[in-house]
């Protein structure tokens, strides 16, 4: 999975707002300076976040941007959905990755074995990200690691069922019960 610049920096802007506390506001230049980003880029990110309902803006001398809800109620999955695209939920995914010579139709459309892998990863990732709040991300690295380990989605701990063998005949990777051997 690749995190886009918009997702990374948008999340950083939200964390900056979460650090100042509930009800406190920061201006675009204050956020830009603190995060070492350009003012126009921060303005663009905050526009996306405001349109998604994650932040609010207040006009005037004491105005600025603040979280729309307490940081303990803002889930990382919600943030990532607002700032980026899903890994595989998009119905046009297969058409966009069909290949240059095919004209928009994937040759594996009727029997795609990869689609179920990408859809499962998307589901696991989203459930995992939905367990983490902005308030969690304000803790120390050790506290975050502990919380993430303790709150993994239960299906990540369950066996995958049948063995899944990946790789060539001379180099096999066997995945069973969520571990790689």
């Amino acid at each position: 999975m690749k995190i886009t610049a918009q997702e990374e920096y948008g999340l950083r802007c939200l964390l900056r707002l979460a650090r100042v506390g509930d009800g406190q506001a920061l201006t675009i230049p204050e956020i830009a300076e603190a995060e070492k980003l350009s003012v126009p880029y921060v303005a663009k990110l905050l526009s996306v976040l405001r349109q998604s309902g994650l932040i609010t803006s207040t006009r005037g001398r004491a105005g600025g941007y603040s979280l729309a809800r307490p940081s303990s109620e803002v889930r990382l999955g919600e943030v990532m959905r607002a700032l980026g695209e899903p890994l595989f939920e998009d119905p046009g995914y297969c058409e966009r990755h069909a290949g240059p010579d095919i004209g928009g139709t994937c040759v594996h459309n009727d029997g795609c074995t990869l689609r179920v892998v990408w859809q499962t990863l998307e589901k696991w990732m989203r459930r995992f990200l939905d367990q983490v709040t902005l308030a969690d991300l304000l803790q120390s690295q050790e506290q975050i690691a502990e919380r993430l380990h303790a709150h993994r989605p239960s299906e990540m701990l369950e066996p995958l069922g049948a063995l899944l063998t990946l790789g060539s005949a001379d180099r096999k990777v066997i995945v069973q019960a969520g571990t790689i051997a």
Side-chain angles (χ1 to χ4, degrees):
M1 177 183 161
K2 182 177 180 181
I3 304 295
T4 66
Q6 179 166 302
E7 291 165 333
E8 172 76 20
Y9 295 125
L11 178 56
R12 288 184 185 193
C13 290
L14 277 178
L15 288 171
R16 178 64 53 189
L17 292 173
R19 282 186 192 99
V20 298
D22 298 333
Q24 300 293 326
L26 291 176
T27 64
I28 291 173
E30 289 171 330
I31 296 169
E33 182 180 330
E35 295 300 322
K36 306 293 185 231
L37 298 170
S38 71
V39 168
Y41 190 51
V42 170
K44 175 188 168 193
L45 294 170
L46 295 182
S47 175
V48 170
L49 294 168
R50 188 179 56 74
Q51 289 173 9
S52 67
L54 292 167
I55 62 173
T56 60
S57 60
T58 306
R59 294 179 185 233
R61 202 163 167 78
Y65 291 85
S66 58
L67 294 178
R69 302 186 311 268
S71 60
S72 61
E73 295 178 13
V74 180
R75 305 227 169 253
L76 187 52
E78 175 185 14
V79 173
M80 300 304 277
R81 282 188 292 277
L83 291 168
E85 298 178 8
L87 178 66
F88 197 79
E89 286 177 3
D90 182 8
Y93 181 90
C94 292
E95 286 76 24
R96 284 195 321 276
H97 296 87
D101 299 331
I102 299 175
T105 304
C106 180
V107 298
H108 302 286
N109 201 28
D110 292 333
C112 181
T113 57
L114 292 176
R115 187 178 10 237
V116 70
V117 173
W118 303 146
Q119 288 170 336
T120 301
L121 285 173
E122 172 77 16
K123 184 175 88 172
W124 282 354
M125 181 188 68
R126 292 296 173 198
R127 285 188 179 167
F128 188 79
L129 293 175
D130 284 338
Q131 298 296 316
V132 182
T133 67
L134 290 181
D136 294 332
L137 295 176
L138 297 177
Q139 299 175 23
S140 73
Q141 288 182 20
E142 292 81 17
Q143 290 171 314
I144 294 170
E146 239 177 70
R147 178 163 177 9
L148 292 178
H149 183 73
H151 290 88
R152 288 182 297 200
S154 60
E155 70 266 7
M156 291 182 94
L157 301 173
E158 295 173 6
L160 295 175
L163 285 179
L164 177 63
T165 305
L166 307 170
S168 65
D170 50 302
R171 184 185 163 269
K172 287 189 177 180
V173 178
I174 299 175
V175 180
Q176 182 178 23
T179 61
I180 298 177

